[in-house]
Amino acid sequence: DVKVTQSSRYLVKRTGEKVFLECVQDMDHENMFWYRQDPGLGLRLIYFSYDVKMKEKGDIPEGYSVSREKKERFSLILESASTNQTSMYLCASSEPNREKLFFGSGTQLSVL
Amino acid sequence: AQSVTQLDSQVPVFEEAPVELRCNYSSSVSVYLFWYVQYPNQGLQLLLKYLSGSTLVESINGFEAEFNKSQTSFHLRKPSVHISDTAEYFCAVINTGFQKLVFGTGTRLLVSP
């Protein structure tokens, strides 16, 4: 089975801190995604990557950046965390056809 | 562009009762449709999908969904729910070029004894 691992289940950070969320997948998938999940808003795409060093903005990229130096690892970076970035962050991976996304268990980030 | 509407944010139901979770989509092009499920404290996992062929698709745990092109719907049904079906269910749509997967806002299914 595909495994998508997110490094932290819970994270508490202070306003203005630089925050790194890490995601690793073990199935050699080309596509990787970062979503944030908020009650009543569902999943919103922040960034995705379709290859190493390739990235594209999703629907809500403001305040975020990403890094994909290796195929299996996709990092989400909050350059200067703000309270409105308190959320559940979900990483996912898929093959190019996106017929099936495999999700990590999420990181609940609280920015105080 | 595609969009997905899940009108019910929460659906309470008693164990062994039938349930229907509604999903309507909007798109100017042909689409594929998905239901994902998120159990408490877990990520999402694919429950079932419609790509082509029979408009009625089934999951291994008794859920089914029917693609209705004329009503632009893909409702999820189960004839008899279990406590373990308590979860949040997300409908999703992608165009047939697999360019962008769009999720609905989710429906929380609460099954009580």
Side-chain angles (χ1 to χ4, degrees):
Chain A
D1 266 357
V2 174
K3 192 166 185 183
V4 179
T5 303
Q6 295 184 231
S7 53
S8 304
R9 181 75 180 100
Y10 299 97
L11 212 51
V12 180
K13 296 293 181 181
R14 296 205 175 274
T15 302
E17 279 193 74
K18 190 169 186 176
V19 181
F20 293 85
L21 302 183
E22 305 287 345
C23 175
V24 178
Q25 51 97 1
D26 65 0
M27 278 299 291
D28 204 36
H29 282 165
E30 285 81 1
N31 292 334
M32 295 190 74
F33 309 84
W34 275 107
Y35 290 90
R36 64 176 281 178
Q37 181 181 9
D38 300 288
L41 297 178
L43 275 72
R44 292 179 291 168
L45 182 64
I46 305 172
Y47 267 97
F48 69 97
S49 168
Y50 52 90
D51 202 349
V52 175
K53 297 190 186 295
M54 306 302 286
K55 60 187 179 184
E56 285 200 22
K57 294 179 180 179
D59 298 317
I60 52 164
E62 296 79 18
Y64 304 94
S65 62
V66 290
S67 172
R68 193 164 181 203
E69 296 296 320
K70 294 185 178 181
K71 192 174 186 179
E72 67 271 18
R73 187 179 297 270
F74 192 36
S75 303
L76 180 69
I77 304 157
L78 286 66
E79 296 289 344
S80 177
S82 63
T83 54
N84 62 12
Q85 292 178 310
T86 290
S87 185
M88 170 67 78
Y89 290 87
L90 293 170
C91 175
S93 72
S94 79
E95 294 180 350
N97 63 18
R98 305 187 192 189
E99 279 185 28
K100 182 175 182 179
L101 266 62
F102 295 86
F103 283 85
S105 54
T107 295
Q108 179 63 53
L109 173 66
S110 296
V111 182
L112 306 178
Chain B
Q2 295 79 47
S3 66
V4 179
T5 301
Q6 292 181 254
L7 285 175
D8 304 309
S9 60
Q10 192 164 289
V11 173
V13 65
F14 289 109
E15 195 174 18
E16 298 183 6
V19 72
E20 178 180 84
L21 306 184
R22 296 180 293 167
C23 172
N24 288 88
Y25 69 92
S26 174
S27 177
S28 57
V29 298
S30 296
V31 297
Y32 298 139
L33 293 149
F34 307 83
W35 277 98
Y36 280 81
V37 58
Q38 185 179 33
Y39 297 106
N41 299 313
Q42 295 185 27
L44 280 72
Q45 51 188 284
L46 183 66
L47 185 62
L48 46 77
K49 63 184 177 183
Y50 171 76
L51 301 180
S52 63
S54 172
T55 56
L56 184 66
V57 291
E58 298 176 355
S59 72
I60 57 172
N61 59 349
F63 282 94
E64 63 179 32
E66 186 160 20
F67 171 53
N68 188 319
K69 191 174 182 180
S70 62
Q71 296 187 5
T72 60
S73 68
F74 191 55
H75 301 329
L76 183 69
R77 301 183 182 95
K78 190 170 185 179
S80 176
V81 295
H82 301 288
I83 297 285
S84 60
D85 292 324
T86 293
E88 189 154 19
Y89 293 79
F90 293 90
C91 184
V93 62
I94 194 168
N95 64 13
T96 52
F98 290 106
Q99 290 172 321
K100 184 180 176 184
L101 185 65
V102 177
F103 285 90
T105 53
T107 297
R108 191 173 296 276
L109 177 63
L110 300 170
V111 183
S112 52

